[in-house]
Structures are given as C-alpha cells and as structure tokens.
Amino acid sequence: MTDDDELRLHRWESHADLPLTVVALVFLVAYAVPILDDHLSPKWDRAYDVATWASWLAFAIDYVVRLCLARHRAAFVRSNLLDLAVVVLPMLRPLRLLRVLALVDILNRRAGSSLRGRVGVYVAGSMVLVLFVGSLAVLDAERHAPGSNIHTSGQALWWSIVTVSTVGYGDFYPVSTTGRLVGVGMMISGIALLGVVTASVASWLVDRVRQVEQGAQAATRADVAKLAAKIDSLERLLAQRDAPKA
Amino acid sequence: MTDDDELRLHRWESHADLPLTVVALVFLVAYAVPILDDHLSPKWDRAYDVATWASWLAFAIDYVVRLCLARHRAAFVRSNLLDLAVVVLPMLRPLRLLRVLALVDILNRRAGSSLRGRVGVYVAGSMVLVLFVGSLAVLDAERHAPGSNIHTSGQALWWSIVTVSTVGYGDFYPVSTTGRLVGVGMMISGIALLGVVTASVASWLVDRVRQVEQGAQAATRADVAKLAAKIDSLERLLAQRDAPKA
Amino acid sequence: MTDDDELRLHRWESHADLPLTVVALVFLVAYAVPILDDHLSPKWDRAYDVATWASWLAFAIDYVVRLCLARHRAAFVRSNLLDLAVVVLPMLRPLRLLRVLALVDILNRRAGSSLRGRVGVYVAGSMVLVLFVGSLAVLDAERHAPGSNIHTSGQALWWSIVTVSTVGYGDFYPVSTTGRLVGVGMMISGIALLGVVTASVASWLVDRVRQVEQGAQAATRADVAKLAAKIDSLERLLAQRDAPKA
Amino acid sequence: MTDDDELRLHRWESHADLPLTVVALVFLVAYAVPILDDHLSPKWDRAYDVATWASWLAFAIDYVVRLCLARHRAAFVRSNLLDLAVVVLPMLRPLRLLRVLALVDILNRRAGSSLRGRVGVYVAGSMVLVLFVGSLAVLDAERHAPGSNIHTSGQALWWSIVTVSTVGYGDFYPVSTTGRLVGVGMMISGIALLGVVTASVASWLVDRVRQVEQGAQAATRADVAKLAAKIDSLERLLAQRDAPKA
C-alpha cells in the first residue's frame, strides 16, 4: 500500500511538471508587468493580482497533494523545506520563478552531451533568470523607498549585473531591507557564478594535462595484456608436452 | 611521567571542551547585547561586564592549565600562539567566539558523510559566525567614530555582507583603525569563501569527469584478475600432472 | 561536387585569413583615431569613415562568399551567428577587432610549447585587446552622454582596468545604455580572466602534487615488468627441460 | 672557455645574492622613510638620496657584471628584461624591493616541507611586501597630486588592502597616472592572490578525494604482488619436480 503511494507520488510529479512550469511562466508575466509598468489601470492591476493568486493556489495544491501522497510525511516536509517556504512566505514569492529553470533542463536534454557543456547551459540559463528576477524584485522594493537610488528597470538591471559580477561600483545600491535581501541573493549568485566559471576552466585544463597521463596508463594496460599472452603461450606449451605423454 | 602529563593534557582538553563552548556562548551574549542596545541601564551594563571578565578568566585558566600540563612548554606556546593572543590582547577579544565553531563540528559529526558535504556545513557555519561577529565588532568600533557612516546594526550587517562578497559598493565603509582591522578580517574571510566555493565546484567537476577514467582503471584491475585466474588454472594443471606420477 | 565546395571553403578561409587580419588592423586605426582625437578635421574624419566602411565591406564579402561555398547553408548560418551579427549590427562593430586575436595565434605558434604557456599568452593578448577596445568603446559612448563622468582616454582605460579586475571603485562608471553594454562585456571578461588565472594556478599545483603519485604508478609498472621477466625465465626453464627429452 | 664563463656567472650570482638582499633592505629604508616622514630635514633627505643612488649603483654593477659573464649576451638580455627595466627606468625603482623576497626563500628553506605549505609562506610573504611597497608608492604619487584623496600612510595601506582584495569601496582611489599604475599592479596582485588561494584549497580537496582512489590503486598493486607470489611458487614447484629427475 505504501509502495502504491510512492508510485502515485511519482506519477503526480511527472504529470504536474509541465502545468506547473506553465503556471510559473504565467506568474512571471503577472509578477513582471505590474513592476515594470508603474501606472497600470486598476482593471489590469486586478487581473494580474488574480493571476498571482491563482499561481499561488496551484503551487499550494501541488504541495498539499505531494504531502498527502508521500510515504513518510515528516521526511517529506524536511526535504522539501524550500517548497514549503515558497508557498507559505509571501516574501519568497519570486522564488516560484525558479521552476522556470525546468525549461533549461529541457533545453539541456536536447543540446547537451558533455558534462561541462550541460553545466554551461545551466549556468547561462540560471544567470538570465537570476538577473531578470533580481532586477524586478529590487525595483519593486526600492522604487518608492525613501532615499533610494534605483528607480527605473534599466537601473535595476544594471545594478543586478554590477552586483553579480562582484564589481560593485556603488552608483546604485539598495537601501530598504527587502532590497538588501535581494542584494544578498545576487551576491551569493555572483560567488556561485565565479566558482562555476573558474571550476569549468580548471576542469578543462586538468583534463587536457591528464590526457598525456592516460597515455602512460594505457602503456601499463598494454604491459598486462602482453603478460597475459605470455601466460597463454606457456599454457599451450605445457598442454602440448602433456599430449604425447598421454 | 611525561606520558602521564600528555594523557592528563588530553583528558583536560576533552573535559574542558563543552564548558568552554558554553562560556563562549555566554560571552557571545555579553558581547552582543551592549553593542546592539546602546542605551543599557548601568546595572545591566555592569552585569555584562562581569560576564565578559568571567569568560576571559575561564579562557585564561584553560590556557594556564594546558601550559602546565604540556610536555614541552616552549613547543606548546609556539603552536598555540592564537590562544595566547586571544587571552592577552583585549583587542582580539571577539576571536574568543571562534570557539562557537565547535558547535558546527558537532553538527557535522551528525549530518556529514561526504568530504564536500562537511566542508559545506563548516563554511556555512563559519560564514554566519563571521558575519555576526564582524557586524558587532564594526558597529562597536564605528558607531561613535568621527566621520563614520555605520551607525545601526542593520547597516553593519549589510556592510559585512557587501565586504565578504568582495562587492564593495562603498555606501558604507569603516573609517576608524579598529573598524578597518575588522574590515581586513572580513576581506580575508571573503577571499577564503570564494576559494572554498570555487574549489568545491572544481572538485565536484573533476570527480565527475574522473569517474569515466576510473572505469578504465577498473578494466586494468579486471585484466589483472583474469591473469590471476589463468595462473591458478596453470598451477592446478601442473599439480594434476604430478599427482598420477607420485 | 559538395566535397569540392568544402575544399573551396577551406581554401578561401586560409587565403582570406591574412588579408582580413590586415583589414581588422586598418579598422582598428580607423576606429581608434576619431575616438581618441575629438577635434579631427572634416577631411580626415571622412577618410576614417571610408576606411570603416571598406572594412565592413571586406567582412561582408567574406561572409557572403563563405555562405555561398558552405555545403549546408542553414548549418553554416547557425554555427557562425557571431560573424553574421558583426556584419549586420552596426553596434557590434568593435567586435570586428576580435580578428586581431589571430595575431596572438601566430605569436603562440612561435613561442608556445606547454598548454599552460599557450593559455597564458592567449589570455595576456586578449586582455590587452579587450582593455584597448573596451576603453575606446566606452569613451565613444560616454564622452558626450549627459551626466557621464568618463571624458578622457586615460579615464576610460582606468575604468576598464578597474572593471575587469572586478575592483569597481565607483570613481568612474558608464551612464548611457551603450556604455553599460560595454561594461557588461568588460565584467564578463573579468570573470573569465579570474577563472583562467585561478585554473592555471590550480592545474599547476595539481600537477606538482600528482608527480609524486606518478612515481607510485611507475612502481606498479616496474612490478609488472618484473613479473614479465619472471615468466620469461619460467618459459626458458620449461623449454630447457623439454630439450634433453627430445 | 665559455664553460668557464658560465661557471663564473653562477659563482658571481651566489656570491652577490646576500649583499644585494642587504642593499635591497637598505633601499627599503631609504625609500620608505622620506615618504612616511613628509617633513624630513634637508640633511637626512640628502642621506636617503645617497643611499638610493648607492643601491641603484649596486644593482647596475650587478647587471653589467652578469651581462659580461653571460655566454650568449643577447639571450641573457632577453631573459632578464625585468632586471634591465628595474635598472634603467627610475619609475620602476620600487620593483628593486622584489629582491627582499629572497628572505622569504630563506624562510621557506627552513620551514617548508609540503608544496602547499611553501606556496602559503611565499604568498603571505609576497602579500606583506606588495601591500607595504604599494602603500608607499601610492602615497608618494598621490600625497601632493591635485584632487587626490590619499594623504596619510594609514589611508594608503587601507586603500592597498581594499584594492588587493578586489573589494574596492571607492572611499579612496588614485587620481594621478603614477598612482593608477601602482593600482594596476595591486589589482594584478589581487587577482593572483585569489587564484593562488582558490587553487590551494582546490588542490587540497582534490587530494583528499583522491586518497580514496589511491586505495583502489594500492589494491591493484597488491593484486600484482599476489600474482608475483603465485608465479614464484609455480617456479619452485617446477624446480622441485625437476630435482628428483636429475
């Protein structure tokens, strides 16, 4: 019976994958447009509000269904804390957009062959999403904050890039608590970006250097093969000697 | 008799581990509260002062006892210079909090299995502690410094994060000598953080690439095993031939 | 017939390599001088304009000829998107200068022996070119932009270096959209630079450590060789014993 | 006769090593004091000037002697371009202090055992020297430059640290050409520092992960050893059988 549950959980997840990605894309629009267009008509404003709530409902239903289907509920909650936080805390709302990264996965399945190639596509996709969402979030938080200096979407995007690259000119910087939390997220992304880029180059270099070494290992393998041949001939020699005696 | 001393030193250290960590936690509170609350009543202020001195006494006693129990005292002093500095120099007082990292060790013993996992937990734990202590130390140094711009705990924490990530907007920066020393510590932590993150990603990438290679090495091992089997059968063949002759 | 085309494409590319590099160098002068000298006489100004257009024509002709000679045209367009963009988008004009990197290739073929040595020469060459072109491009974009602070070639070069090293003092920063696009390019270059420098040091360190290990592998090889010698002597022993019997 | 020259060159270099390091230390004082003390009496000022010139003379004589003793003079000039530049260009005067790094070498020969340990000592020594010399050089260049903001030795040292760590708050930055050249040197040092720190951590991590793997390789070695033992016993068995027959 519990195995049945496990199976049903997996089936639900594979069925819910595409719809939830579509919901995330709808939420992306419903999240982005009211931030980018500060003077939306009340009618449209309400429409985007409804879309936001609908996407929240979809994520909440998905979480509850998965929780009900899970074999060990306590273990499920513990290993899906982020999912819970995204549903419960309205402040983490933009994290719902992480689901859009599923699109990068699809792209990867098509194009990627080597590990480094797939890492590259994933990093590039994540960076575009992080910069986009980070710019929106900081613009939302800072636009009307007292003493702030980020007021247009262009400034927000420029600030995002300057922060992720850890350059940090200081021509723009967040002053509100929410804006600074977004900034912390961008900095962590920047450190991760630097780490992944460096690691990829290092892995490539180490690989190229190692190819020489693998040649040496191949030589050992060849030696072992020669030994095997020698022993084979010994065996045959012994067998031949035995044959006439019989 | 000296071996006895060595044993007694280790016994002392294992017994003193937990109490000293508790003392460090008490000191953490006694260090943090007067900095965070600028308008403490004199009574409480004196209470925190007493706690600070008591924690100093505990660390000093621990050092003296360990020094007395050590076999080679000169060698002990040389390899525990940091412990000595923390006891003797009042300016390095915040470093006493490094002992709180012992808690991370305990956490690690529970959760950690892989090397990279344990490094991750350690780095995350250290970063939280470094950011917390660094913010307190810089706030203490800068709050009443002439011409300073870090005046609240929020600003101090934001400055710490901006510095550790090496972004450095320049919206906040220390101006006093003590504050700048704290800054140097944060920058060193930041460089170390970047190094560890990058190295972990690189090690993961190198590992994944190596798994292919290990397959080739396994093939060599298999070849050697086949050789061994061949030699075994040769041996049996010889033994059989000898048996009838006997 | 298609194989003929393939051959003709390669022949065209090897013949066009040197002329296009010369054209790129001419374009470098025609691009740099009007930016560096703000008060050029109209006659010279027109001359440089003509040179710029001539270089564009050369690149366009090269692209069209290669497109015509390519076996699979759709595949050719897809795998040479950058070349197309450089020809079609006037904004990407400075990227034409990337062809000057061909000179670094020539330098490399002469000097380089080790992989790391060649990477080093390539990185140094690219950095000089990136800093030079980036400084020109940002100066062109910012000099007359409202509210800008980069007005001389010295300031532009200093800004480029500060950006590529990800230090980002904030004493100079771009304010126009074009200038910020140049800034994004410089930041990407900076992250790549950091990655390559770190990776080179890491690869060197890993290599040095590995040399010890290779000693151990050599020992295994020696063991296998000793085994082979043993088996040889066994074989000889058996052969000798058989000889008198015959 | 040329071999004799080669020998004499090496003998000169080993004899000149210590005196030149002493000269570099004297130059360090003669370089530092007039910068740190802006109001030196003319008598002392002249004394430091004489010391500076004397150190220049010592380096120049060393270069000329080595050039005369070198077998292939053109090759010697080509592979010692930095030495030539330090002697000929007064602006590169501070680079003479790089010779002080010879002291780090001596320290290393004493303490160092592991490669990473030696790299660590070297990096720490170089950083102290780079920060010290960079601070002096930037203070010298900026103190009386129009519109500059680095006026005290404390500010210069703080700027150096902020630059090397690539944090770059922008509270201090060079404005003169010489000061900016010093800044470029500091940034290059900073990128190198980041690279070496990251690479050391990566190398350590890769090593630890590899130890597991080496265990597997040891198993292969053990298998080969067992094979060898088997073949030995086979050989003995054959020998024993032959013995009675004789």
Side-chain angles (χ1 to χ4, degrees), chain A residues 2-71:
Chain A
T2 47
D3 272 346
D4 247 40
D5 282 2
E6 198 72 342
L7 200 75
R8 271 195 288 172
L9 175 57
H10 278 113
R11 212 183 299 152
W12 168 267
E13 280 178 345
S14 71
H15 274 104
D17 197 29
L18 192 65
L20 275 179
T21 306
V22 172
V23 166
L25 282 173
V26 169
F27 173 64
L28 188 64
V29 175
Y31 179 70
V33 174
I35 295 178
L36 291 175
D37 186 350
D38 210 16
H39 304 289
L40 221 58
S41 76
K43 211 177 73 183
W44 275 106
D45 212 40
R46 208 176 315 138
Y48 287 119
D49 243 44
V50 168
T52 301
W53 278 104
S55 77
W56 174 81
L57 200 68
F59 276 87
I61 290 173
D62 174 63
Y63 187 83
V64 169
V65 169
R66 280 157 66 209
L67 180 62
C68 291
L69 293 176
R71 212 194 296 198

Side-chain angles (χ1 to χ4, degrees), chain C residues 158 162 165-169 171-172 198 201-202 208-210 213 216-217 220 227 230-231 233-234 241 245, chain D residues 115 159 163 166-170 173 180 187 195 198-199 207 210 214 217 221 228 231-232 235 238 241-242:
Chain C
W158 174 244
V162 168
S165 67
T166 77
V167 167
Y169 290 120
D171 50 349
F172 299 105
T198 302
V201 181
R208 293 296 297 264
V209 171
R210 180 175 294 155
E213 218 175 291
Q217 290 186 358
T220 313
L227 264 180
K230 274 274 171 58
I231 293 181
S233 72
L234 246 171
R241 265 196 345 182
K245 282 185 182 171
Chain D
L115 180 64
W159 168 82
T163 301
T166 78
V167 168
Y169 290 120
Y173 46 83
R180 285 178 179 169
M187 289 171 203
T198 303
D207 265 31
R210 180 175 294 154
Q214 283 187 326
Q217 290 186 358
R221 267 198 294 284
I231 292 181
D232 276 355
E235 205 166 23
L238 279 168
R241 267 196 343 180
D242 288 357

Side-chain angles (χ1 to χ4, degrees), chain A residues 165 193-202 205, chain C residues 119 123-124 126-127 130 163-166 184-200, chain D residues 191:
Chain A
S165 68
L193 172 68
L194 248 165
V196 174
V197 168
T198 303
S200 299
V201 181
L205 257 182
Chain C
V119 168
V123 167
S126 308
M127 268 303 126
V130 161
T163 300
V164 160
S165 67
T166 77
V184 171
M186 304 306 275
M187 288 170 204
I188 294 174
S189 304
I191 290 175
L193 172 67
L194 248 163
V196 173
V197 167
T198 302
S200 299
Chain D
I191 291 175

Side-chain angles (χ1 to χ4, degrees), chain A residues 115 159 163 166-170 172-174 180 184 187 191 194-196 198-200 207 210 214 217 221 224 228 231-232 235 238 241-242 245, chain B residues 158 161-162 165-169 171-172 193-194 197-198 201-202 205-206 208-210 213 216-217 220 223 227 230-231 233-234 237-238 241 245:
Chain A
L115 181 65
W159 168 82
T163 300
T166 78
V167 168
Y169 291 120
F172 298 104
Y173 47 82
R180 283 178 181 169
V184 171
M187 288 170 203
I191 290 175
L194 248 165
V196 174
T198 303
S200 299
D207 264 30
R210 180 175 295 156
Q214 283 187 327
Q217 289 186 0
R221 268 198 294 284
V224 169
I231 292 181
D232 275 355
E235 203 167 23
L238 279 168
R241 265 198 343 185
D242 289 357
K245 282 184 183 171
Chain B
W158 173 243
I161 297 172
V162 168
S165 67
T166 78
V167 167
Y169 290 121
D171 48 351
F172 299 104
L193 172 68
L194 248 164
V197 168
T198 303
V201 181
L205 258 182
V206 166
R208 294 295 297 264
V209 171
R210 181 175 293 154
E213 219 175 293
Q217 290 186 359
T220 312
D223 284 4
L227 263 179
K230 273 275 171 57
I231 292 180
S233 72
L234 246 172
L237 198 143
L238 279 168
R241 267 196 344 181
K245 283 184 184 173

Side-chain angles (χ1 to χ4, degrees), chain A residues 103-182:
Chain A
L103 290 177
V104 175
D105 264 345
I106 294 167
L107 213 92
N108 245 334
R109 244 170 276 157
R110 282 228 182 146
S113 50
S114 75
L115 181 65
R116 268 196 296 277
R118 271 182 298 149
V119 167
V121 172
Y122 209 83
V123 166
S126 310
M127 268 303 126
V128 169
L129 192 69
V130 162
L131 289 175
F132 186 73
V133 175
S135 303
L136 288 175
V138 88
L139 185 60
D140 194 23
E142 293 286 311
R143 201 202 307 249
H144 303 302
S148 76
N149 48 49
I150 303 175
H151 297 117
T152 72
S153 59
Q155 290 171 340
L157 183 59
W158 173 244
W159 168 82
S160 295
I161 297 172
V162 168
T163 300
V164 160
S165 68
T166 78
V167 168
Y169 291 120
D171 48 352
F172 298 104
Y173 47 82
V175 295
S176 67
T177 304
T178 314
R180 283 178 181 169
L181 281 176
V182 174

